[in-house]
PDB file of all heavy atoms in Angstrom:
ATOM      1  N   LEU A 174     107.276 108.534  89.331  1.00  0.00           N
ATOM      2  CA  LEU A 174     106.312 108.568  88.244  1.00  0.00           C
ATOM      3  C   LEU A 174     105.088 109.328  88.729  1.00  0.00           C
ATOM      4  O   LEU A 174     104.686 109.207  89.877  1.00  0.00           O
ATOM      5  CB  LEU A 174     105.914 107.155  87.846  1.00  0.00           C
ATOM      6  CG  LEU A 174     107.041 106.267  87.338  1.00  0.00           C
ATOM      7  CD1 LEU A 174     106.546 104.854  87.144  1.00  0.00           C
ATOM      8  CD2 LEU A 174     107.603 106.814  86.049  1.00  0.00           C
ATOM      9  N   THR A 175     104.469 110.091  87.851  1.00  0.00           N
ATOM     10  CA  THR A 175     103.271 110.827  88.225  1.00  0.00           C
ATOM     11  C   THR A 175     102.389 111.019  87.000  1.00  0.00           C
ATOM     12  O   THR A 175     102.883 111.097  85.877  1.00  0.00           O
ATOM     13  CB  THR A 175     103.619 112.188  88.858  1.00  0.00           C
ATOM     14  OG1 THR A 175     102.425 112.821  89.296  1.00  0.00           O
ATOM     15  CG2 THR A 175     104.350 113.086  87.915  1.00  0.00           C
ATOM     16  N   GLY A 176     101.094 111.026  87.222  1.00  0.00           N
ATOM     17  CA  GLY A 176     100.162 111.250  86.129  1.00  0.00           C
ATOM     18  C   GLY A 176      99.473 109.982  85.676  1.00  0.00           C
ATOM     19  O   GLY A 176      99.495 108.960  86.354  1.00  0.00           O
ATOM     20  N   SER A 177      98.843 110.069  84.518  1.00  0.00           N
ATOM     21  CA  SER A 177      98.054 108.960  83.978  1.00  0.00           C
ATOM     22  C   SER A 177      98.597 108.524  82.629  1.00  0.00           C
ATOM     23  O   SER A 177      99.220 109.302  81.915  1.00  0.00           O
ATOM     24  CB  SER A 177      96.600 109.393  83.807  1.00  0.00           C
ATOM     25  OG  SER A 177      96.044 109.752  85.035  1.00  0.00           O
ATOM     26  N   ILE A 178      98.318 107.264  82.296  1.00  0.00           N
ATOM     27  CA  ILE A 178      98.720 106.720  81.005  1.00  0.00           C
ATOM     28  C   ILE A 178      97.612 105.789  80.521  1.00  0.00           C
ATOM     29  O   ILE A 178      96.972 105.106  81.319  1.00  0.00           O
ATOM     30  CB  ILE A 178     100.074 105.979  81.084  1.00  0.00           C
ATOM     31  CG1 ILE A 178     100.558 105.571  79.708  1.00  0.00           C
ATOM     32  CG2 ILE A 178      99.992 104.781  82.000  1.00  0.00           C
ATOM     33  CD1 ILE A 178     101.974 105.048  79.674  1.00  0.00           C
ATOM     34  N   LEU A 191      96.143 103.624  83.634  1.00  0.00           N
ATOM     35  CA  LEU A 191      96.880 103.586  84.887  1.00  0.00           C
ATOM     36  C   LEU A 191      97.102 104.989  85.412  1.00  0.00           C
ATOM     37  O   LEU A 191      97.351 105.920  84.633  1.00  0.00           O
ATOM     38  CB  LEU A 191      98.233 102.902  84.704  1.00  0.00           C
ATOM     39  CG  LEU A 191      98.202 101.449  84.255  1.00  0.00           C
ATOM     40  CD1 LEU A 191      99.617 100.965  83.971  1.00  0.00           C
ATOM     41  CD2 LEU A 191      97.524 100.583  85.290  1.00  0.00           C
ATOM     42  N   LYS A 192      97.046 105.136  86.729  1.00  0.00           N
ATOM     43  CA  LYS A 192      97.311 106.425  87.369  1.00  0.00           C
ATOM     44  C   LYS A 192      98.441 106.222  88.377  1.00  0.00           C
ATOM     45  O   LYS A 192      98.373 105.335  89.232  1.00  0.00           O
ATOM     46  CB  LYS A 192      96.069 106.935  88.087  1.00  0.00           C
ATOM     47  CG  LYS A 192      96.273 108.288  88.734  1.00  0.00           C
ATOM     48  CD  LYS A 192      94.988 108.778  89.379  1.00  0.00           C
ATOM     49  CE  LYS A 192      95.227 110.129  90.028  1.00  0.00           C
ATOM     50  NZ  LYS A 192      94.031 110.586  90.748  1.00  0.00           N
ATOM     51  N   PHE A 193      99.474 107.041  88.260  1.00  0.00           N
ATOM     52  CA  PHE A 193     100.624 106.979  89.151  1.00  0.00           C
ATOM     53  C   PHE A 193     100.546 108.138  90.136  1.00  0.00           C
ATOM     54  O   PHE A 193     100.473 109.296  89.734  1.00  0.00           O
ATOM     55  CB  PHE A 193     101.926 107.049  88.346  1.00  0.00           C
ATOM     56  CG  PHE A 193     102.101 105.892  87.409  1.00  0.00           C
ATOM     57  CD1 PHE A 193     101.669 105.986  86.091  1.00  0.00           C
ATOM     58  CD2 PHE A 193     102.677 104.718  87.836  1.00  0.00           C
ATOM     59  CE1 PHE A 193     101.817 104.930  85.214  1.00  0.00           C
ATOM     60  CE2 PHE A 193     102.830 103.647  86.970  1.00  0.00           C
ATOM     61  CZ  PHE A 193     102.399 103.760  85.663  1.00  0.00           C
ATOM     62  N   GLU A 194     100.559 107.830  91.429  1.00  0.00           N
ATOM     63  CA  GLU A 194     100.450 108.839  92.480  1.00  0.00           C
ATOM     64  C   GLU A 194     101.829 109.368  92.843  1.00  0.00           C
ATOM     65  O   GLU A 194     102.735 108.579  93.141  1.00  0.00           O
ATOM     66  CB  GLU A 194      99.788 108.249  93.720  1.00  0.00           C
ATOM     67  CG  GLU A 194      98.398 107.693  93.484  1.00  0.00           C
ATOM     68  CD  GLU A 194      97.374 108.768  93.228  1.00  0.00           C
ATOM     69  OE1 GLU A 194      97.595 109.921  93.649  1.00  0.00           O
ATOM     70  OE2 GLU A 194      96.349 108.470  92.596  1.00  0.00           O
ATOM     71  N   PRO A 195     101.995 110.691  92.834  1.00  0.00           N
ATOM     72  CA  PRO A 195     103.305 111.249  93.175  1.00  0.00           C
ATOM     73  C   PRO A 195     103.675 111.004  94.631  1.00  0.00           C
ATOM     74  O   PRO A 195     102.825 111.023  95.498  1.00  0.00           O
ATOM     75  CB  PRO A 195     103.134 112.744  92.883  1.00  0.00           C
ATOM     76  CG  PRO A 195     101.678 112.983  92.962  1.00  0.00           C
ATOM     77  CD  PRO A 195     101.002 111.705  92.554  1.00  0.00           C
TER      78      PRO A 195
END
Side-chain angles (χ1 to χ4, degrees):
L174 299 173
T175 184
S177 299
I178 187 170
L191 299 174
K192 182 177 180 184
F193 297 93
E194 301 289 337

